[in-house]
Amino acid sequence: MTRKLFVALMLTSMPFAPAANAALVTTDNFVNSSLVDFSDQAAQNNVIGPVQVGNLAGEDITVSSSSPTSGLYFNYPSWGLCSNGTWGSGRSYVGLNGGNDTMTFAFNSGPVSSVGGFLNYAKSCSANDFQISALDAGQNILESYDLSSLADIVTPSALNGGDFRGITRATNDIYYFQLSGGMANVIDNLTFARVDVPAPAPLALLGLGLLGLGLARKRRK
């Protein structure tokens, strides 16, 4: 087999990762997803974090507030969302009070490809838009969506109302998921998933070995 033919065969047999295309999603249709519903969290007020919330999913997942003064509220009995109603009895959740602050979930057990949750925010009493963002390992923004303009949540005077909103990508590169703005925002049923990473094809591995052997023999000559 000639070297050119061998290299061409090797390249055609190697799996290539798909482009990291992303999308804002409004339904929970992640494949093989895991769920964090915060039902194991004790009621806490104004906690900065990080707080471990991944036990029910068997993962190391923490959540924290960006503000040293405006912290997280776990399973608060009555959380006002202005015209979007209230959250409280009958729902386990995490809330953040502060329009300029950010709630950040960190996937410490490994990055994910999709993440979202059942969300709501204080509507009509704040000029701050409600946003969700996916970040990489260096906390650089991969994707960010302004839900107020792209997929608004409207639940007039509802009790425990909301909608699912999330972000999905083609590769496992989401290390952090953030909620920000909206004066006050809340999340229940944090949902996440990972895509399977294909193992290298046997022919590709054989090709790499033979190519290395051929190059070594050429150098000896």
Side-chain angles (χ1 to χ4, degrees):
M1 182 184 296
T2 67
R3 181 183 176 188
K4 288 184 179 180
L5 178 59
F6 177 77
V7 172
L9 179 61
M10 180 186 70
L11 290 175
T12 57
S13 65
M14 292 180 66
F16 288 90
N21 297 323
L24 169 66
V25 293
T26 57
T27 57
D28 174 14
N29 58 358
F30 303 153
V31 177
N32 297 324
S33 63
S34 298
L35 179 70
V36 175
D37 66 6
F38 310 110
S39 61
D40 63 331
Q41 296 297 315
Q44 300 182 70
N45 298 341
N46 205 30
V47 179
I48 304 302
V51 176
Q52 178 61 239
V53 296
N55 291 331
L56 293 179
E59 300 235 359
D60 180 3
I61 303 171
T62 59
V63 61
S64 58
S65 168
S66 65
S67 171
T69 58
S70 180
L72 304 168
Y73 290 73
F74 290 83
N75 299 325
Y76 198 72
S78 181
W79 189 271
L81 299 171
C82 298
S83 65
N84 270 353
T86 59
W87 275 25
S89 178
R91 181 171 292 285
S92 53
Y93 67 98
V94 182
L96 177 66
N97 185 28
N100 297 317
D101 302 325
T102 300
M103 182 192 306
T104 301
F105 291 91
F107 293 93
N108 302 311
S109 293
V112 301
S113 60
S114 302
V115 59
F118 188 80
L119 310 177
N120 212 333
Y121 73 106
K123 185 176 176 64
S124 77
C125 60
S126 170
N128 295 308
D129 291 337
F130 182 36
Q131 299 179 334
I132 59 173
S133 304
L135 285 69
D136 66 11
Q139 299 197 32
N140 303 298
I141 295 177
L142 297 170
E143 306 291 334
S144 186
Y145 297 99
D146 183 346
L147 298 184
S148 303
S149 60
L150 296 175
D152 199 12
I153 298 173
V154 183
T155 58
S157 303
L159 173 63
N160 296 331
D163 284 303
F164 186 89
R165 300 288 185 268
I167 296 172
T168 186
R169 290 172 62 83
T171 58
N172 299 320
D173 57 1
I174 302 174
Y175 285 78
Y176 302 93
F177 178 58
Q178 291 186 335
L179 281 63
S180 58
M183 188 62 181
N185 52 69
V186 286
I187 178 172
D188 189 9
N189 293 340
L190 175 72
T191 307
F192 62 94
R194 297 181 178 91
V195 294
D196 292 332
V197 178
L203 181 58
L205 293 176
L206 176 62
L208 288 173
L210 292 177
L211 178 60
L213 180 61
L215 293 175
R217 287 179 175 174
K218 184 177 181 181
R219 284 196 295 269
R220 284 198 296 269
K221 290 181 180 180

